[in-house]
Amino acid sequence: METPQLLPDFLTVEEAARVLRIGRTAAYGLTRQWRATAGAEGLPVVRFGRQLRVPRAALETYAGGPLTAPPTGRVANKVHTSKTHPVKAVASRRLSNPSISCEQPSLFDEA
């Protein structure tokens, strides 16, 4: 069993999202809420120039206790990889030749 990794003093919003086990978009939404409410609600964030950082101490207060870095193995970062079905690329949504078809079934019965 590996020892828990300590978090840096300031985390990116994406790193904070992984620690809290929430999505990136949700984390950015919480930072917007923090800035809009002057710190009354949301995820604590500090702006350094154009970059946003989440202070570890504020994140631990927000989470209610000390935090450690999430596992970084391949399993932890695995992206869902479902099989995709090939579809022929078409330059336009309208087909210039109606006899050409995509490999997708039609939603409506053709009469």
Side-chain angles (χ1 to χ4, degrees):
M1 187 170 174
E2 62 183 72
T3 59
Q5 237 181 339
L6 294 177
L7 295 173
D9 290 337
F10 292 92
L11 293 89
T12 65
V13 176
E14 289 88 355
E15 290 169 340
R18 279 195 308 262
V19 169
L20 295 173
R21 298 181 62 104
I22 62 173
R24 176 184 178 270
T25 304
Y28 275 105
L30 288 170
T31 64
R32 277 192 297 280
Q33 186 179 17
W34 174 265
R35 290 179 289 154
T37 62
E41 299 175 353
L43 181 63
V45 68
V46 177
R47 182 177 285 280
F48 292 104
R50 294 179 58 193
Q51 299 179 10
L52 296 175
R53 293 293 183 259
V54 180
R56 183 190 72 226
L59 188 61
E60 288 176 340
T61 301
Y62 184 76
L67 299 171
T68 57
T72 58
R74 296 184 101 196
V75 175
N77 293 332
K78 185 171 175 135
V79 177
H80 178 68
T81 55
S82 63
K83 285 193 171 188
T84 58
H85 300 286
V87 176
K88 292 181 183 176
V90 183
S92 167
R93 287 193 170 260
R94 294 185 182 186
L95 296 173
S96 58
N97 184 351
S99 65
I100 299 174
S101 67
C102 292
E103 294 178 11
Q104 295 181 338
S106 175
L107 293 176
F108 305 100
D109 292 332
E110 296 179 16

